[in-house]
C-alpha cells in the first residue's frame, strides 16, 4: 500500500511530524514502512507556462520554436514533443531548474537557435512511467485550461509529496485504505480522524424505477447496492485526483473509473461502474457462475468460468466477475451517459478462490479476499456518487436499490487490566488501558479494571482477548515492556545420548580429515536411482516425488546422500580442488508406497566421499592417494566411536567397483557400504578414483550401549602367538581372521593382521598373510599348554577351511 | 712394591688421559684392571710379603685400583658425552623445512551456528527436539492456526507431496508435536533446529531449502517480558554483550502478540550503515506469545498455560555474523568456502 502524505493530511493531522519520524512511529507500532519516497524532490524552477506561439524550427523539421509566457516574462523554448500546440498550458522548466535524475536546465543553442528552457513531460518531472495516463505518455503534459499561468508545477502535480510504502501483514487489511491508515496514525499520534463528506443532492429520477437487484445467495453476497447516476460526461478527472491516484500507484483513465478507484483507496471498498445502457435488461442478478460460462474481462481476456465464481449478470449473461474485474460488455466508454454504480460485500473466500483460479488479481480482489468493513460499503458508494456528480456532471437518482442481509454488528471482547499485565509482564493502569482504547477509537464500557470493548468493524482481525492484548501492547509500546526471566522451575538442559553421539561422530570425522557438507534433500529422479546403499535397496523403498516440482533437478527426495556428495566432489574438482574428503550427516526419505499416502520413513545416514591425494609431503617424496583402506579405516573409526564391531564383506553393488566394494554389517545386519565408485560413474562426474561410504547411522546409534558394563583391567600378562599362513590369493584375510577367532577358544582376545605378502618367493596364485593372536585371561596367568592347544586348533581349522599352509 | 704400585697408578692414569675413544679406554681398563693386569699380579705376589707389610700393600693396591677405576669412569663419561654430542650433531635436520601436513576437516558453517545456538539454549535449560521434514498439513498449518483457506497455505509457496503431505515450510510444526507429546500438563522448554523448504527460486538471498531454529517455552504464567529477557540474553551471547534488542509488531498466525526482533547492527554499532539500511538495527528473528488456539489444539488449557515461541533463519544469522553474501554458498559446499570457517 502506497500512502501519499499530502492525501493523508486530509483525514488526520500530521503537520507537526517529519515523514521520517512518522514512518518510524508507524513501523514501531505495527505496520512496517518499507520505504519513504519523495515524488520529485528536485523539481524546482518549473512553472505553468502559456504557449503564446508555436512554429516550426527554421533548421529542424521535428522541433518547434515556442514563445512561452510564465506570467512575468516570455521565454523562447525549443520543444520536440509532437503534441505541443499554441494555446496550451504546459510545464516549463526555466534555466536554473533542476529535474529528477540530476538534469540541470541551461540556456542552450539548438540548431543555431537559442532555447531558454524545456517543456516537460510527466516522466521528466519524476512521475513513474507506469502510472502516467496513456494519453500523455508520449508527449508533454498539458494542464487544464483554467490553470493559472506562473504557478509552480511542483504544487499542481503534487511533486512535493512524500509516499510511504506500507508492508501489510495479512491481518492488517484495515490499512488498505487511506481512512484505515488515518485511524492507525491517529491512534499513534493521539489525533482525531476527519471523515470525508458523503452527502449529495439527488435528481427527480428514482433508482428503483431504473434497475432491479436480485441476489441468489445471501451468504456469498450479503449486500449489493446499486446507485444510478445519469447524464454523466466522460472526461479527465481533476488534476489533484489524478495526482493522488498516481501516487498510490494507479494509472488514471477517465473521471468515472478514476472516481471509483479514488473512493476505493479512501474507504478500502471496491466499487464498480457499469455503463447502465449496456446492462440492457435493467436488472442485476448476482449468482454463482455456471460451469463453462464465458466472460470477457476488462483486461480483454476471454475467461471460461469454473462454476463456483460469483458473477454479476444482467439476468441472462455475466457482466462482471464479482469482486475481481468487470466485463467488457458493460464497460464505461467515452459515450457512456448513465452509470450503474455497484457497492457490494462479497464473501472473502469466494473472491480468493475466483481470483486464484483465474490468476487475476486486482485492487478490488486484493481487498475483498482479506475482508472489508461492512459499515463502509454504502458510504463508499455514496462518496463516489457525490464525486460523479461533482466531477462528471452526473445527476444522482434517488435511493439505492439494495439487497441487504449484511451483519454490521461490532464484536465485543472482554479484557481486564490484571490479565493484560499478567500476560505482558507490565504494570499498565486501568487509566492507561482506557486511554489506549480511546486512541484506537474503540468503543468500550469500563467497570474499574474490566472492559467490554466494542471492536469497530473496520478491524475484522480482532475477536479474541489476545487480539486486544496485541493492540494494547503495540500502542503501549514494546519498548516499555520490561526484561524478565521465566519464573518456572529451572531445570538443566542436556543433549540426549543420541544428540551427543551425533556431535561426537561429526567431531571424529573432522578429526579424521573430512569436511562436513550440507547438500539439498531434493534431487532428480535419476539420482534417486543411483548409488543407493544395499541396506536401503533391500527394504524395497520408493523415492518421494513432489506434486509440482519447480525443476526436474529438485523433484524427488533423496534415497541416498552419496550422489549429492559425489556431485559436490565434482563441483570442487572442476574448480581445481582435487584432494577432497567430505562427509554429511543427513536424512534420506524412504517410502514403502509407490504412490505415497503416508509420511515416509525419514532416517539419518552418515555418508562420506574421498578423492585425490590423502597424504602428501612433497619434499620427502611422500604421496599417498586415497584408497579403499582409507575409507574403510574411517568406517572402522565410526564403529569404534560407538563401541561396535563392523564386518566387511566383498559385495557387488550397483554403481560401485565390483572388486573394491564391501557391505558393512553389524550383528549380521547389513548397515551400509564402503567402496570405490564404478569407473563409469567416476567418469560421468569427471572424477578420478573416488571412494565413498554410506551408513545407516540411525540404526548404529541405536545399538550404542549407553552404560557399558565395567571391564576388569587385566592384571595378568597376555601371551601372543604369530601365525604366518600361505593361502590362495582368492581367500579373504577377514575370513581367515574370523576362523582364527572362532576356533581359538575364548582366551583369544584379539586377532590382528600384520603382514600381507604376494610376489617374489611366493608360488604364483598364492599369498602369505601373517596374524598376531593375543591370548589373555584377566583373572590368571595362562599356561603354555592351553595356548598351545588353542594354537593347534586354529591351525587345524584354517587348514581345512581355507586350504592354508603354515609358512615355513 | 709400593713404588711399583705408585708407578702403575701414574702410568695407568696417564694412559687414561691419552685414550681418545671408548675402545682405547676399554683397552686401558683391561690392561690395568683385568685379571691378567699388573695390579692383579701385584696382589697375587702378596704371599711373599711379611705379615706386617701385607695389609699395608693390600690397602695400597686397592687404593690404586680405585683411583684407576675412578679415572676410567670419569674419562668414560667424558668420552660418552662427546660421542653423544657427535651423534646428535650428525642427527641435525633442517627445521625450516615444512612440517608434515595433518589433514583437517571441519564443521559446516550452519552446523557451527546451530551448535552454538543449541549450547546457548541448553545453558538456559532448553532441550533439543526434532521433527519430520515431510509433514502433514495438519501439523504444518492447521495446528498452527492456519486454517484451510489461509493465504499462507498457497500451493505456490510450498512443496506438496500429496494433498495432505508437504515438505514443512517451517520448523514450527515441532512446537505442536512437542505440546502433544507433553500431554497438555507439563512445562516445555525446547528448541528445534531443522531443514525447511519453500517454493523459492534459488538466488543470492533465496533458497528452496534452508534451516530454521524454533524455540518454545510453555508454562504457567509465562509473560511477554520473559520473551524479551530470554531473547536479550540469547542475542548478547550470540552477537556480543553490548548488543541491544528491540521488538517490532508483526504477524504470525500461531502467535499473538507477534513481533519481529532486531538487534543493534554490529557493523555500525547502531549508528546506521548500508548493512542495516541506515536504521542501526538488523532483524534476526520472529517471535510472539503462543496463540490460544494453538495451545488449545495441542491440549494445553490457555486459561492455565501460556507460552512464547520464536524462530530464526540459521543462514541469515550466519550471513550476518560472518558477512556471507550469497545464501547459495551454504549448499554449494565449495571447499574454499567451507574451510574459511574452521574453528581453530
Ligand atoms: Zn549498520
Amino acid at each position: 500500500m502506497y500512502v501519499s502524505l499530502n492525501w493523508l493530511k486530509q483525514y488526520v493531522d500530521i503537520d507537526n511530524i517529519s515523514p521520517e519520524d512518522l514512518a518510524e512511529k508507524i513501523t514501531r507500532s505495527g505496520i512496517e514502512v518499507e520505504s519513504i519516497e519523495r515524488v520529485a524532490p528536485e523539481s524546482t524552477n518549473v512553472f505553468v507556462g502559456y504557449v503564446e506561439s508555436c512554429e516550426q524550427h527554421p533548421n529542424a523539421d521535428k522541433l518547434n520554436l515556442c514563445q512561452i509566457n510564465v506570467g512575468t516574462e516570455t521565454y523562447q523554448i525549443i520543444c520536440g514533443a509532437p503534441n505541443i500546440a499554441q494555446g496550451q498550458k504546459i510545464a516549463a522548466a526555466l534555466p536554473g531548474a533542476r529535474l529528477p535524475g540530476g538534469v540541470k536546465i541551461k540556456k542552450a543553442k539548438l540548431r543555431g537557435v537559442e532555447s531558454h528552457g524545456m517543456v516537460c513531460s510527466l516522466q521528466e518531472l519524476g512521475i513513474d512511467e507506469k502510472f502516467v495516463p496513456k494519453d500523455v505518455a508520449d508527449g508533454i503534459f498539458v494542464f487544464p485550461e483554467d490553470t493559472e499561468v506562473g504557478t509552480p508545477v511542483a504544487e499542481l502535480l503534487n511533486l512535493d509529496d512524500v509516499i510511504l510504502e506500507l508492508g501489510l501483514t495479512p491481518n492488517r487489511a484495515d490499512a488498505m485504505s487511506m481512512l484505515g491508515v488515518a485511524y492507525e496514525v491517529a491512534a499513534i499520534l493521539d489525533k482525531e480522524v476527519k471523515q470525508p463528506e458523503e452527502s449529495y443532492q439527488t435528481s427527480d429520477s428514482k433508482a428503483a424505477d431504473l434497475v432491479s437487484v436480485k441476489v441468489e445467495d445471501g451468504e456469498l453476497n450479503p449486500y449489493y447496492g446499486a446507485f444510478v447516476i445519469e447524464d454523466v460526461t466522460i472526461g479527465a478527472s481533476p488534476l489533484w485526483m489524478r495526482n493522488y491516484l498516481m501516487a498510490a500507484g494507479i494509472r488514471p483513465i477517465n473521471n468515472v473509473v478514476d472516481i471509483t478507484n479514488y473512493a476505493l483507496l479512501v474507504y478500502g471498498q471496491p466499487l464498480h461502474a457499469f455503463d447502465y445502457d449496456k446492462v440492457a435488461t435493467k436488472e442485476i442478478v448476482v449468482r454463482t457462475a455456471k460451469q463453462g460460462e464465458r466472460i470477457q474481462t476488462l483486461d480483454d481476456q476471454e475467461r471460461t468460468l469454473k462454476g463456483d465464481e460469483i458473477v454479476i449478470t444482467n439476468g441472462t449473461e455475466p457482466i462482471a466477475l464479482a469482486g475481481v474485474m468487470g466485463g467488457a460488455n458493460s464497460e464505461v466508454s467515452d459515450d457512456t451517459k448513465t452509470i450503474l454504480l455497484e457497492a457490494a460485500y462479497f464473501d472473502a473466500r469466494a473472491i480468493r478462490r475466483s481470483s486464484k483460479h483465474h490468476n487475476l488479481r486486482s485492487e478490488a480482489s486484493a481487498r475483498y479476499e482479506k475482508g472489508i468493513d461492512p459499515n463502509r460499503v454504502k458510504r463508499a458508494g455514496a462518496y463516489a456518487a457525490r464525486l460523479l456528480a461533482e466531477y462528471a456532471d452526473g445527476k444522482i437518482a434517488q435511493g439505492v436499490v439494495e439487497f441487504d442481509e449484511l451483519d454490521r454488528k461490532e464484536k465485543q471482547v472482554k479484557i481486564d487490566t490484571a490479565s493484560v499485565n499478567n500476560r505482558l509482564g507490565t504494570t499498565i493502569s486501568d487509566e492507561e488501558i482506557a486511554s489506549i482504547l480511546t486512541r484506537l477509537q474503540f468503543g468500550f464500557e469500563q467497570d474499574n479494571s474490566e472492559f467490554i470493548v466494542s471492536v469497530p468493524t473496520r478491524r475484522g482481525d480482532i475477536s479474541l482477548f489476545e487480539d486486544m492484548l496485541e493492540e494494547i501492547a503495540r500502542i503501549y509500546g514494546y519498548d516499555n515492556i520490561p526484561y524478565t526471566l521465566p519464573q518456572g522451575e529451572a531445570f538443566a538442559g542436556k543433549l540426549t545420548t543420541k544428540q551427543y553421539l551425533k556431535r561426537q561422530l561429526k567431531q571424529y570425522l573432522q578429526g579424521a580429515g573430512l569436511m562436513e557438507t550440507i547438500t539439498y534433500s531434493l534431487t532428480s529422479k535419476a539420482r534417486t536411482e543411483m548409488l543407493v546403499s544395499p541396506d536401503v535397496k533391500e527394504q524395497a523403498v520408493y523415492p518421494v516425488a513432489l506434486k509440482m516440482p519447480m525443476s526436474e533437478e529438485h523433484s524427488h527426495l533423496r534415497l541416498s546422500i552419496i550422489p549429492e556428495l559425489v556431485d559436490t566432489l565434482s563441483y570442487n574438482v572442476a574448480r581445481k580442488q582435487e584432494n577432497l574428503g567430505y562427509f554429511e550427516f543427513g536424512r534420506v526419505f524412504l517410502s514403502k508406497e509407490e504412490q505415497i499416502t503416508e509420511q515416509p520413513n525419514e532416517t539419518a545416514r552418515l555418508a562420506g566421499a574421498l578423492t585425490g591425494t590423502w597424504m602428501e609431503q612433497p619434499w620427502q617424496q611422500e604421496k599417498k592417494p586415497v584408497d579403499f583402506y582409507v575409507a574403510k579405516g574411517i568406517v572402522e573409526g565410526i564403529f569404534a566411536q560407538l563401541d561396535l564391531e563392523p564386518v566387511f564383506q566383498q559385495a557387488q553393488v550397483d554403481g560401485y567397483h565390483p572388486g573394491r566394494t564391501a557391505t558393512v554389517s553389524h550383528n549380521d545386519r547389513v548397515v551400509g557400504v564402503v567402496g570405490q565408485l564404478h569407473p563409469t560413474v567416476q567418469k560421468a562426474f569427471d572424477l578420478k578414483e573416488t571412494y565413498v561410504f554410506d551408513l545407516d547411522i540411525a540404526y548404529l546409534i541405536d545399538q550404542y550401549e549407553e552404560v557399558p558394563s565395567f571391564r576388569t583391567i587385566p592384571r595378568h600378562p597376555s601371551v601372543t602367538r604369530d601365525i604366518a599362513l600361505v593361502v590362495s590369493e582368492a581367500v579373504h584375510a577377514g575370513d581367515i581372521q574370523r576362523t582364527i577367532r572362532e576356533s581359538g577358544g575364548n582366551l583369544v582376545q584379539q586377532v590382528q593382521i600384520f603382514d600381507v605378502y604376494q610376489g617374489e618367493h611366493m608360488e604364483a596364485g598364492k599369498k602369505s598373510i601373517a596374524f598376531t593372536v593375543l591370548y589373555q585371561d584377566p583373572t590368571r596367568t595362562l599356561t603354555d599348554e592351553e595356548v598351545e592347544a588353542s594354537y593347534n586348533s586354529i591351525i587345524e581349522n584354517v587348514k581345512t577351511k581355507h586350504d592354508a599352509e603354515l609358512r615355513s | 712394591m709400593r713404588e711399583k704400585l705408585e708407578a702403575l697408578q701414574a702410568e695407568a692414569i696417564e694412559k687414561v688421559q691419552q685414550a681418545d675413544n671408548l675402545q682405547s679406554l676399554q683397552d686401558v681398563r683391561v690392561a690395568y684392571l683385568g685379571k691378567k693386569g699388573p695390579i692383579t699380579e701385584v696382589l697375587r705376589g702378596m704371599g711373599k710379603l711379611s705379615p706386617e707389610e701385607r695389609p699395608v700393600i693390600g690397602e695400597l693396591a686397592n687404593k690404586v685400583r680405585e683411583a684407576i677405576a675412578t679415572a676410567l669412569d670419569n674419562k668414560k663419561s667424558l668420552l660418552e658425552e662427546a660421542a653423544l654430542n657427535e651423534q646428535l650433531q650428525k642427527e641435525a635436520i633442517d627445521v625450516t623445512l615444512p612440517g608434515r601436513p595433518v589433514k583437517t576437516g571441519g564443521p559446516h558453517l550452519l552446523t557451527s551456528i546451530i551448535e552454538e545456538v543449541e549450547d546457548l539454549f541448553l545453558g538456559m535449560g532448553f532441550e533439543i527436539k526434532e521433527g519430520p521434514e515431510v509433514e502433514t498439513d495438519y501439523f504444518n498449518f492447521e495446528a498452527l492456526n492456519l486454517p484451510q483457506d489461509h493465504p499462507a497455505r498457497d500451493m505456490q509457496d510450498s512443496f506438496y507431496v500429496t494433498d495432505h503431505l508437504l515438505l514443512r515450510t517451517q520448523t514450527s510444526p515441532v512446537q505442536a508435536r512437542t505440546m502433544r507429546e507433553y500431554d497438555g500438563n507439563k512445562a516445555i522448554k525446547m528448541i528445534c533446529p531443522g531443514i525447511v523448504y519453500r517454493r523459492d527460486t534459488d538466488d543470492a538471498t533465496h533458497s528452496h531449502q534452508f534451516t530454521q531454529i524454533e524455540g518454545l517455552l510453555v508454562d504457567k504464567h509465562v509473560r511477554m517480558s520473559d520473551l524479551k529477557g530470554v531473547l536479550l540474553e540469547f542475542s548478547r551471547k550470540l552477537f556480543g554483550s553490548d548488543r541491544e534488542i528491540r521488538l517490532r509488531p508483526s504477524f504470525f498466525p500461531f502467535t499473538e502478540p507477534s513481533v519481529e526482533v532486531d538487534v543493534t547492527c554490529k557493523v555500525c554499532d547502531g549508528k546506521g550503515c548500508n548493512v542495516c539500511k541506515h536504521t542501526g538495527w538488523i532483524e534476526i528473528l520472529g517471535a510472539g506469545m503462543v496463540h490460544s488456539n494453538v495451545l488449545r489444539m495441542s491440549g494445553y488449557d490457555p486459561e492455565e498455560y501460556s507460552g512464547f515461541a520464536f524462530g530464526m533463519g540459521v543462514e541469515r544469522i550466519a550471513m550476518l555474523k560472518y558477512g556471507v553474501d550469497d545464501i547459495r554458498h551454504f549448499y554449494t559446499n565449495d571447499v574454499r568456502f567451507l574451510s574459511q570457517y574452521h574453528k581453530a
Side-chain angles (χ1 to χ4, degrees), chain B residues 2-198:
Chain B
R2 178 185 297 271
E3 293 77 25
K4 195 175 177 188
L5 278 170
E6 280 165 355
L8 270 174
Q9 178 175 351
E11 186 187 310
I13 286 171
E14 172 79 22
K15 289 239 168 92
V16 166
Q17 300 310 337
Q18 282 165 6
D20 59 357
N21 61 55
L22 285 167
Q23 186 53 50
S24 54
L25 194 65
Q26 182 60 16
D27 292 345
V28 175
R29 184 183 295 270
V30 173
Y32 287 88
L33 301 181
K35 282 179 186 158
K36 293 173 184 166
I39 294 177
T40 318
E41 205 139 299
V42 168
L43 289 170
R44 225 176 260 154
M46 291 251 290
K48 295 174 193 158
L49 296 175
S50 66
E52 297 81 44
E53 272 182 318
R54 229 178 267 165
V56 178
I57 297 299
E59 195 182 335
L60 181 64
N62 279 332
K63 272 191 180 156
V64 168
R65 175 190 278 274
E66 258 170 52
I68 295 171
T70 306
L72 277 165
D73 288 349
N74 289 343
K75 183 69 179 184
K76 191 180 176 203
S77 303
L78 280 172
L79 285 175
E80 273 173 351
E81 198 183 316
L84 181 63
N85 284 341
E86 195 183 342
Q87 173 70 20
L88 294 181
Q89 208 66 73
K90 281 187 197 148
E91 285 171 9
I93 54 165
D94 181 352
V95 296
T96 64
L97 281 167
R100 181 189 305 274
V102 174
K103 190 117 180 162
T104 51
H108 194 282
L109 181 55
L110 294 178
T111 299
S112 304
I113 303 272
I114 290 171
E115 290 185 358
E116 191 177 352
V117 173
E118 281 178 352
D119 291 344
L120 291 181
F121 281 103
L122 284 169
M124 290 191 258
F126 285 65
E127 58 176 334
I128 300 168
K129 288 286 189 181
E130 277 186 48
E133 290 172 28
V134 179
E135 190 50 282
T136 62
D137 62 354
Y138 177 80
F139 279 112
N140 196 69
F141 291 132
E142 220 151 298
L144 297 170
N145 206 26
L146 280 103
Q148 284 290 329
D149 266 313
H150 200 280
R153 292 184 63 161
D154 206 318
M155 290 287 277
Q156 301 306 320
D157 302 330
S158 323
F159 288 117
Y160 275 86
V161 166
T162 71
D163 287 344
H164 299 290
L165 292 178
L166 73 160
L167 306 194
R168 66 178 175 196
T169 58
Q170 46 193 356
T171 40
S172 317
V174 183
Q175 284 185 28
R177 286 183 174 276
T178 307
M179 282 192 260
R180 196 156 281 216
E181 180 192 329
Y182 278 61
D183 279 342
N185 57 23
K186 286 193 238 9
I188 301 173
K189 270 175 115 176
M190 70 94 173
I191 64 162
C192 161
I195 293 173
V196 301
Y197 306 84
R198 303 238 173 117

Side-chain angles (χ1 to χ4, degrees), chain B residues 265 267-268 272-273 275-276 280:
Chain B
C265 176
V267 178
C268 62
C273 69
V275 174
C276 57

Side-chain angles (χ1 to χ4, degrees), chain A residues 25-333:
Chain A
K25 286 203 148 120
I26 294 174
T27 294
R28 296 303 307 285
S29 47
I31 295 172
E32 192 185 354
V33 176
E34 290 178 340
S35 67
I36 306 172
E37 212 65 75
R38 287 177 160 74
V39 175
E42 292 180 312
S43 294
T44 53
N45 214 25
V46 188
F47 302 97
V48 176
Y50 177 74
V51 184
E52 290 181 337
S53 67
C54 178
E55 288 154 18
Q56 198 186 316
H57 188 289
N59 307 323
D61 289 352
K62 291 190 173 164
L63 294 180
N64 295 301
L65 187 58
C66 307
Q67 298 301 325
I68 294 179
N69 181 343
V70 294
T72 47
E73 267 178 88
T74 299
Y75 289 80
Q76 171 169 297
I77 297 177
I78 294 171
C79 173
N83 64 331
I84 192 160
Q86 191 270 325
Q88 283 174 338
K89 288 181 178 166
I90 50 78
L94 302 179
R98 297 167 137 279
L99 297 180
V103 179
K104 269 190 193 167
I105 302 300
K106 285 180 287 200
K107 204 160 72 173
K109 258 193 181 164
L110 282 171
R111 298 271 179 120
V113 181
E114 282 205 344
S115 177
H116 297 259
M118 181 170 117
V119 182
C120 302
S121 68
L122 285 182
Q123 293 94 314
E124 282 160 342
L125 290 169
I127 310 275
D128 192 323
E129 177 89 47
K130 294 197 287 287
F131 311 135
V132 169
K134 282 196 171 130
D135 55 339
V136 294
D138 296 327
I140 53 155
F141 181 71
V142 182
F143 288 96
E145 276 173 35
D146 58 359
T147 311
E148 198 173 322
V149 170
T151 317
V153 159
E155 246 171 63
L156 288 172
L157 289 177
N158 198 37
L159 299 179
D160 58 346
D161 203 355
V162 180
I163 315 292
L164 303 186
E165 187 187 353
L166 306 185
L168 296 178
T169 51
N171 58 327
R172 293 306 303 274
D174 63 295
M176 293 179 83
S177 66
M178 295 305 292
L179 278 176
V181 175
Y183 275 105
E184 179 74 8
V185 170
I188 296 166
L189 302 179
D190 199 4
K191 303 274 186 190
E192 293 298 314
V193 174
K194 289 170 247 171
Q195 300 295 335
E197 181 56 55
E198 292 151 9
S199 65
Y200 54 77
Q201 306 278 317
T202 55
S203 68
D204 295 335
S205 305
K206 290 192 171 65
D209 297 338
L210 298 167
V211 69
S212 70
V213 167
K214 190 178 154 207
V215 171
E216 287 188 356
D217 187 340
E219 295 268 316
L220 293 177
N221 179 202
Y223 179 83
Y224 195 99
F227 295 75
V228 180
I229 300 97
E230 297 174 292
D231 293 335
V232 295
T233 310
I234 308 293
S237 56
L239 194 53
W240 59 263
M241 189 183 288
R242 279 184 279 168
N243 291 336
Y244 287 156
L245 289 176
M246 288 189 282
I250 292 181
R251 187 199 291 267
I253 312 270
N254 61 39
N255 49 3
V256 175
V257 176
D258 291 358
I259 284 167
T260 56
N261 281 332
Y262 184 78
L264 169 140
L265 289 170
V266 174
Y267 292 88
Q269 168 63 47
L271 299 168
H272 185 67
F274 295 98
D275 183 326
Y276 172 80
D277 296 309
K278 291 181 187 163
V279 186
T281 58
K282 318 300 178 210
E283 66 174 324
I284 293 287
V285 177
V286 185
R287 59 167 168 83
T288 46
K290 295 172 188 141
Q291 196 186 348
E293 208 168 6
R294 297 172 139 255
I295 180 173
Q296 187 178 345
T297 41
L298 287 175
D299 54 0
D300 291 332
Q301 298 285 310
E302 183 77 24
R303 297 175 189 275
T304 306
L305 301 177
K306 184 160 66 113
D308 62 354
E309 301 93 339
I310 311 173
V311 284
I312 315 299
T313 73
N314 59 5
T316 51
E317 55 170 354
I319 54 172
L321 189 55
V324 182
M325 194 173 274
N329 55 7
S330 55
E331 184 178 6
V332 172
S333 60

Side-chain angles (χ1 to χ4, degrees), chain B residues 264-282:
Chain B
T264 37
C265 176
K266 72 164 187 173
V267 178
C268 62
D269 250 329
K271 290 179 194 81
C273 69
N274 282 333
V275 174
C276 57
K277 292 185 189 142
H278 303 283
T279 61
W281 297 94
I282 301 260

